[in-house]
Amino acid sequence: MSGKDCFEILNKIFKPKNVEKDINKIKGYTMKYGYIVENEDIIDEVLVSYFKGPKSYTTENMCEINSHGGNIILKKILEVCLKNGAELAEPGEFTKRAFLNGRIDLLQAESVIDIIEAKSEREAKTGIKQLEGKLSKKIEEIKQNILDVMVNIEVSIDYPEYDVEDVTNNQISEMLDQVEEKLLKLEKSFDDGKIIKEGIKTAILGKPNAGKSSLLNSILKEERAIVTQYEGTTRDTIEEFVTINGIPLKLIDTAGIRQAKDEVEKIGIEKTREIAKQADLILAIFDSTKDLTQEDFEILDLIKNKKAIILLNKVDLQQVLTKENSKLKESNCKIISISALKDIGIEELYKEIEKLFKFGEINLDQDLIITNIRHKNLITKAIENIKKTKATIQEKMPLDVIAIFIKDILEDLGKITGETVSEDIINEIFAKFCLGK
Ligand code: GDP
């Protein structure tokens, strides 16, 4: 429970054992042992933690009741709280209050969802970094750069009679260049951020019997793999999220790979093309016991200009197709011999993926990484507004016009941290939270 009445409500339903009865005298950050009661009936034996505002998650008075698990007891305790004046929290309401009460900014609040929903350690770590406030500080720093010049502009506009140092267009341009450079760097970090958050969208392509399902199984059964299955963007497709050696892969159309097994008909080239288009990475798998066929040529055609790795499968058998094959070499892709069945070459495959996406180069401790599309879009918008402002300067517009444009940039940045964001957007963001957070 959080809020000014929460201790009062707790008082009505909690009978502490052998301790101070007056809640106001109980210290913050302590736990008390006792019972939750309703009309003298004991509902459960509990431990209650006290957090006195402003040093709490929401900055309000807060308490947490730790009961025995199980649905009945939890429901009953909730019911008693509600009967005695508590209100059910909306999704994300605790974090929303922390934001509205100014303990964290919007960017930090959003990182709480990322931490809860993280599918990989990397993703959780980026979330924690953002919650710590490093990215917020960077945005604040950029805003401050703009404000420093803005103040001079406003003084010049409002008090032309004062002998303030004239802000020159050069000064403004210089500031805009610096700010733009910082924002471009952040915008670019979203490429990494997207991969950390969503995984490398990976398609396994190959003709029937090349070994697609065997490879899929080999990847999914990997000891260190954490697999999450969820519905794909289009109906009937399943996407599987795996993290192996810290590399997050989102395997697309895994259902298609499995279905193809039962179907006499192979998956058509159109469908394959569609999947290839969506993918960040293609694993093109060929049966090395046979020569290339027309279907293989079509796949080689699809991987042109894409990030792809060629896998020569069934290396445990007599080889017909080798790395020296001129058609394969023409593709300029890395070629790896594997046996999906016997787990040969799979480790080399992961190493290659890591290299291809420069995963080893991302320093999670130092680099500021944008993972949230809302933040990315606002940064892109701020960059566009910087360009517009520069154009107005070129056109020798008066200072007050330039000032209006600069305010737009500040507003874009303020929306990231939540100062200038509308209530609708705030509600939308917190609606994505789960209950009780
Ligand atoms: P898909 O149609 O592309 O999904 O191919 P499958 O994964 O179903 O493999 C087709 C056949 O090749 C199956 O009988 C597999 O057991 C076999 N196979 C797949 N990979 C290997 C391999 O690396 N070595 C051997 N010896 N057989 C393999």
Side-chain angles (χ1 to χ4, degrees), residues 138-238:
K138 187 79 196 173
I139 303 284
E140 284 308 325
E141 172 198 310
I142 296 175
K143 271 166 57 189
Q144 197 55 50
N145 294 156
I146 302 175
L147 279 170
D148 289 345
V149 175
M150 194 64 194
V151 170
N152 287 345
I153 297 177
E154 300 221 309
V155 174
S156 302
I157 296 172
D158 294 345
Y159 307 99
E161 69 277 18
Y162 278 13
D163 191 20
V164 285
E165 197 188 326
D166 258 356
V167 233
T168 61
N169 282 351
N170 271 351
Q171 251 178 320
I172 304 175
S173 299
E174 203 174 294
M175 175 276 284
L176 289 174
D177 284 343
Q178 280 168 8
V179 167
E180 187 177 19
E181 193 185 324
K182 288 180 188 174
L183 289 177
L184 282 171
K185 201 168 157 203
L186 283 180
E187 188 188 38
K188 194 165 174 293
S189 76
F190 186 69
D191 292 344
D192 292 333
K194 191 162 169 272
I195 285 177
I196 289 172
K197 194 160 181 174
E198 294 174 13
I200 301 167
K201 273 192 150 200
T202 308
I204 301 175
L205 300 184
K207 69 181 171 202
N209 279 323
K212 294 180 296 299
S213 14
S214 306
L215 176 65
L216 180 66
N217 288 334
S218 170
I219 293 175
L220 294 182
K221 77 163 190 263
E222 177 92 11
E223 242 176 278
R224 283 156 292 172
I226 311 165
V227 185
T228 332
Q229 224 185 46
Y230 49 98
E231 269 180 44
T233 33
T234 46
R235 231 157 45 92
D236 300 336
T237 65
I238 291 182

Side-chain angles (χ1 to χ4, degrees), residues 207-214 261 313-314 316-317 339-341:
K207 69 181 171 202
N209 279 323
K212 294 180 296 299
S213 14
S214 306
K261 286 229 74 54
N313 190 29
K314 311 193 189 180
D316 54 307
L317 300 176
S339 168
L341 208 60

Side-chain angles (χ1 to χ4, degrees), residues 207-311:
K207 69 181 171 202
N209 279 323
K212 294 180 296 299
S213 14
S214 306
L215 176 65
L216 180 66
N217 288 334
S218 170
I219 293 175
L220 294 182
K221 77 163 190 263
E222 177 92 11
E223 242 176 278
R224 283 156 292 172
I226 311 165
V227 185
T228 332
Q229 224 185 46
Y230 49 98
E231 269 180 44
T233 33
T234 46
R235 231 157 45 92
D236 300 336
T237 65
I238 291 182
E239 289 172 351
E240 266 157 304
F241 194 99
V242 221
T243 311
I244 308 152
N245 300 355
I247 308 169
L249 295 184
K250 187 182 198 176
L251 298 159
I252 49 183
D253 194 42
T254 52
I257 294 172
R258 292 192 176 121
Q259 259 166 31
K261 286 229 74 54
D262 313 322
E263 288 170 10
V264 185
E265 238 169 284
K266 60 188 171 141
I267 297 244
I269 186 74
E270 267 322 305
K271 174 94 193 273
T272 314
R273 188 164 307 196
E274 189 47 46
I275 293 167
K277 215 167 83 189
Q278 290 175 34
D280 301 321
L281 168 70
I282 296 174
L283 303 179
I285 183 163
F286 300 92
D287 184 342
S288 67
T289 65
K290 299 198 174 81
D291 236 329
L292 294 173
T293 62
Q294 186 52 39
E295 287 161 304
D296 292 324
F297 293 136
E298 276 165 13
I299 288 169
L300 283 170
D301 193 46
L302 279 181
I303 63 176
K304 267 187 201 149
N305 308 319
K306 297 264 327 180
K307 273 193 179 152
I309 298 171
I310 290 178
L311 300 172

Side-chain angles (χ1 to χ4, degrees), residues 58 122 156 175 291 361 367 385 403:
T58 58
R122 256 173 215 267
S156 302
M175 175 276 284
D291 236 329
E361 290 174 22
D367 298 345
N385 279 330

